[in-house]
Amino acid sequence: MFMNGKRQLIATLAISASLFAGGAMAQDDKGLISIIVNDTSNPYWFTEGEIAEETAEDLGYEADVSAHKGDTNTESNQVDTAITNEAKAIILDPANADGSIGAVRKAVDAGIPVFTVNAEINQQDLAEAQLVSNNAQGAALGARKWVEIVGDSADYVELEGAPSDNNAATRSNGYETVLSQYPDLERVASDVANWDRTEGNNKMESMLQSNPDIDAVISGNDEMALGAIAALKKADKLDDVVVGGFDGSPDAVEAVEAGELDYTVLQPVAVFSKAAVEQADKFIRTGETGVSSEKQLFDCVLITSENVDQYTDPFVLEQ
């Protein structure tokens, strides 16, 4: 069921991406584009790599996808491989906002342009472009829906993403900006679960021991939210607790449809993955990306029980 859902959402996202930008079909082999993502076992990053690979091949390049799983040493080795293989460009989802700077600089010094996707590095004018979801907008969108469901008085817990990823802080700060407007909303616990479902489950179990009567959970991504749902089910508390996610992953969409996850915030991963490869292609051909700024933000979309049926139809997903 997971694989069917994943393939379905990939097809949906791919069609969504095509609405944003067109790409020429392959005419000949233009060389290699190296695509380095975080963890392909996570459906979000799987989609990121899949769409980038398909776009590169459609444009006439060879494409190679690898995953660093958040490890900067692995990432550095993968960049070395791209340099050895004389890649024309690197599409990189950075392992660490600070720790990935050296790997990006190494590629640039070797004459290989780097286009970061999904996450940023904390240095400007090094990567040719940094394409990311508008995490602040998405967090505010999700938090407002969360309050609409929860109400303005509740005890809640928060699951946070990896501290090495700027997106974790941006989302958490975005939640706080909205929720702090309601003085009777009390965050009774929070913990880092590193974007991971198993950690989300374990951290949720621990927080329930100290706070058995919580009303809601707000999560930095879907995997942690789905882990929390598993823990709440085990404790027979899911029916009484609101859970909100972030990413729009296939499993999360299914959970919204099943009434277990109250909403998820869809990141347009297919859109910016496709755009990054197309900008890389233009840069390879012309020396210009064709866009006016290095950092590019892509707005997120809210998926709820009211509109979830639209996100199983590949002809409807428009942003």
Side-chain angles (χ1 to χ4, degrees):
M1 185 174 185
F2 168 76
M3 285 304 296
N4 288 338
K6 179 163 71 174
R7 290 193 185 101
Q8 183 179 49
L9 192 62
I10 289 167
T12 300
L13 290 169
I15 289 174
S16 173
S18 70
L19 297 172
F20 278 74
M25 295 301 290
Q27 300 298 320
D28 51 21
D29 182 4
K30 298 179 181 178
L32 173 70
I33 290 182
S34 179
I35 301 158
I36 304 171
V37 301
N38 192 313
D39 184 356
T40 52
S41 68
N42 180 304
Y44 176 83
W45 287 310
F46 177 90
T47 301
E48 180 179 78
E50 185 82 357
I51 295 299
E53 181 180 29
E54 289 176 359
T55 304
E57 290 175 349
D58 284 348
L59 290 168
Y61 296 90
E62 295 179 44
D64 174 71
V65 179
S66 58
H68 51 63
K69 296 189 176 181
D71 183 74
T72 54
N73 290 327
T74 301
E75 177 185 59
S76 181
N77 291 335
Q78 289 164 337
V79 169
D80 286 338
T81 299
I83 293 170
T84 299
N85 292 337
E86 299 181 345
K88 299 296 184 181
I90 295 173
I91 308 298
L92 173 67
D93 191 334
N96 186 295
D98 293 312
S100 296
I101 292 172
V104 175
R105 182 179 292 112
K106 180 166 51 176
V108 171
D109 287 346
I112 301 175
V114 177
F115 297 76
T116 68
V117 291
N118 181 62
E120 304 169 62
I121 56 171
N122 286 333
Q123 183 166 330
Q124 299 298 303
D125 302 320
L126 187 58
E128 290 299 330
Q130 302 205 63
L131 298 87
V132 297
S133 296
N134 190 340
N135 284 279
Q137 173 263 347
L141 190 67
R144 287 194 294 269
K145 183 62 178 180
W146 187 92
V147 172
E148 179 185 319
I149 300 168
V150 173
D152 58 8
S153 177
D155 290 343
Y156 73 96
V157 298
E158 180 178 354
L159 291 168
E160 302 176 23
S164 61
D165 186 341
N166 285 349
N167 291 339
T170 301
R171 292 175 198 173
S172 185
N173 291 339
Y175 296 156
E176 175 65 15
T177 297
V178 174
L179 303 186
S180 63
Q181 299 174 42
Y182 303 90
D184 292 328
L185 290 175
E186 183 179 357
R187 189 177 73 172
V188 295
S190 65
D191 210 340
V192 172
N194 291 306
W195 309 127
D196 183 74
R197 191 181 303 199
T198 300
E199 287 196 44
N201 176 79
N202 295 341
K203 296 298 176 68
M204 188 74 251
E205 286 183 343
S206 296
M207 287 191 284
L208 281 173
Q209 290 177 8
S210 303
N211 303 277
D213 298 320
I214 60 168
D215 302 297
V217 178
I218 194 163
S219 176
N221 84 334
D222 287 335
E223 286 296 291
M224 297 186 298
L226 292 167
I229 286 171
L232 289 163
K233 279 183 176 180
K234 185 177 178 180
D236 197 26
K237 291 180 178 292
L238 182 58
D239 289 345
D240 301 318
V241 178
V242 172
V243 183
F246 199 115
D247 273 349
S249 74
D251 283 4
V253 171
E254 289 182 8
V256 171
E257 194 169 27
E260 296 179 344
L261 183 66
D262 288 274
Y263 70 84
T264 182
V265 177
L266 172 67
Q267 295 194 77
V269 59
V271 176
F272 61 67
S273 297
K274 182 178 177 69
V277 176
E278 291 177 336
Q279 290 176 29
D281 172 58
K282 183 160 187 176
F283 186 85
I284 291 165
R285 291 184 290 103
T286 69
E288 301 287 341
T289 63
V291 296
S292 59
S293 62
E294 175 185 330
K295 183 173 179 178
Q296 300 160 47
L297 297 177
F298 295 76
D299 280 352
C300 301
V301 176
L302 189 68
I303 300 178
T304 69
S305 59
E306 287 80 17
N307 68 354
V308 66
D309 59 316
Q310 299 177 15
Y311 294 88
T312 58
D313 184 343
F315 299 103
V316 178
L317 181 55
E318 301 179 17
Q319 301 176 38

